Amino acid sequence: MPILTNGSPQEDWIDPDDVPRPVLIYGFVADKFVGVELPSHVHVKSQLILVQRGVLRCEVAGGLWIVPPQSAIWIPGGALHSVWMSGALEGYNAFIDPSVSHCLPQRCCAVSVSPLLRELMRRGARLPSLYEEGGANSRLLAVLLDEVAASKIEDLHLIMPADPKLRQLAEAMMAAPADRSTLEVWAKRACLSERTLARRIVEETGMSFGRWRQQLAVMLAIQWLAAGASLQTVAADLGYESVPSFVTMFRKTLGTSPGRYMAERYGEG
């Protein structure tokens, strides 16, 4: 497969469901995506998107995933999803037929990427779309499937409310993450009582208002840190008065400090 770019000819963009192979992998690279969004769509094949450089955002079945460098998102076949990309981006996309994905996750999730899985994706992207089956190529891709199955699931998921009024509020919070207004203030903006907003957030997301906002902050922090932002910048952009208060929130949410979290997952080139 050729490495796809935002300038690739239309004939290079093959519908993966039309390729009669159990696994199809292609690479993608672009120096600049300007707020590109792939609207909601469905594949028969499951999908693994690995991000090498840049960050993409994916929404699947009411959940939002942010995929920073050296991570991947798994999207089961048949799941309605949309993808948003901005800035420089490089990575790999694997499409896996249901006949060989029964041991793989049955729900959408973010997964950590081992050096072996990353190299297998690179190797697989160099295969022709109609590679010969039954030999070395098939064995290579069988190892890839084993490595996906063994990958650790990451907590980079944010449940999005379905109610239009709550969805509008959630998007406003995402657009202005430094706004640390209280539940009472956000309730007034949504034309709801404080008690009603608190109850409906729990009903829609399974989390309290404060827990939901913390999860959003952690996801955005990982995205910005992976792009090279400093702890000071991230803390300020999330509305925290000091770096220690931000680090305390991050540690309470993920059980480790931002520095250690990023080193463990994204320290390898």
Side-chain angles (χ1 to χ4, degrees), residues 28-108:
F28 56 88
V29 61
D31 291 333
K32 187 68 174 178
F33 278 111
V34 185
V36 174
E37 181 173 3
L38 302 179
S40 295
H41 60 286
V42 172
H43 305 289
V44 173
K45 292 177 178 175
S46 297
Q47 185 175 4
L48 181 73
I49 307 174
L50 185 159
V51 176
Q52 280 283 94
R53 178 169 60 100
V55 179
L56 65 80
R57 195 169 69 205
C58 186
E59 186 165 351
V60 186
L64 182 70
W65 280 261
I66 289 176
V67 190
Q70 312 304 325
S71 282
I73 182 170
W74 171 259
I75 305 170
L80 185 68
H81 61 284
S82 60
V83 179
W84 184 88
M85 301 163 283
S86 183
L89 192 67
E90 178 183 353
Y92 298 92
N93 211 332
F95 291 91
I96 301 171
D97 192 88
S99 64
V100 295
S101 62
H102 54 276
C103 292
L104 302 179
Q106 299 303 302
R107 59 181 178 84
C108 187

Side-chain angles (χ1 to χ4, degrees), residues 18-255:
D18 290 341
V19 179
R21 291 294 183 272
V23 181
L24 173 70
I25 304 174
Y26 66 78
F28 56 88
V29 61
D31 291 333
K32 187 68 174 178
F33 278 111
V34 185
V36 174
E37 181 173 3
L38 302 179
S40 295
H41 60 286
V42 172
H43 305 289
V44 173
K45 292 177 178 175
S46 297
Q47 185 175 4
L48 181 73
I49 307 174
L50 185 159
V51 176
Q52 280 283 94
R53 178 169 60 100
V55 179
L56 65 80
R57 195 169 69 205
C58 186
E59 186 165 351
V60 186
L64 182 70
W65 280 261
I66 289 176
V67 190
Q70 312 304 325
S71 282
I73 182 170
W74 171 259
I75 305 170
L80 185 68
H81 61 284
S82 60
V83 179
W84 184 88
M85 301 163 283
S86 183
L89 192 67
E90 178 183 353
Y92 298 92
N93 211 332
F95 291 91
I96 301 171
D97 192 88
S99 64
V100 295
S101 62
H102 54 276
C103 292
L104 302 179
Q106 299 303 302
R107 59 181 178 84
C108 187
C109 57
V111 298
S112 61
V113 178
S114 67
L116 176 57
L117 177 56
R118 187 161 59 246
E119 184 57 32
L120 289 167
M121 292 284 277
R122 287 173 178 161
R123 291 279 301 277
R126 292 199 290 267
L127 298 177
S129 57
L130 294 175
Y131 55 83
E132 183 179 355
E133 294 185 278
N137 293 332
S138 294
R139 292 193 295 273
L140 174 78
L141 296 174
V143 175
L144 182 144
L145 296 178
D146 288 341
E147 196 66 12
V148 175
S151 296
K152 179 182 176 182
I153 295 177
E154 299 279 10
D155 189 15
L156 298 177
H157 172 217
L158 185 71
I159 298 174
M160 295 293 284
D163 178 90
K165 186 172 289 189
L166 295 189
R167 178 59 182 257
Q168 186 176 16
L169 182 147
E171 290 178 349
M173 293 175 67
M174 291 170 60
D179 186 341
R180 306 296 297 170
S181 297
T182 64
L183 174 63
E184 179 182 9
V185 171
W186 282 107
K188 288 179 179 178
R189 292 173 183 172
C191 299
L192 297 170
S193 71
E194 185 175 351
R195 178 178 294 181
T196 298
L197 176 57
R199 173 177 52 81
R200 287 171 62 177
I201 283 285
V202 172
E203 290 173 351
E204 293 265 339
T205 70
M207 293 182 280
S208 68
F209 173 83
R211 178 69 183 85
W212 190 93
R213 182 159 64 178
Q214 279 189 350
Q215 184 73 0
L216 171 62
V218 164
M219 291 176 64
L220 291 175
I222 293 171
Q223 173 181 337
W224 297 338
L225 289 168
S230 67
L231 279 177
Q232 290 82 359
T233 299
V234 170
D237 288 348
L238 290 174
Y240 285 86
E241 295 182 357
S242 68
V243 170
S245 60
F246 160 68
V247 171
T248 297
M249 179 279 296
F250 193 101
R251 183 179 284 112
K252 285 182 177 178
T253 305
L254 292 184

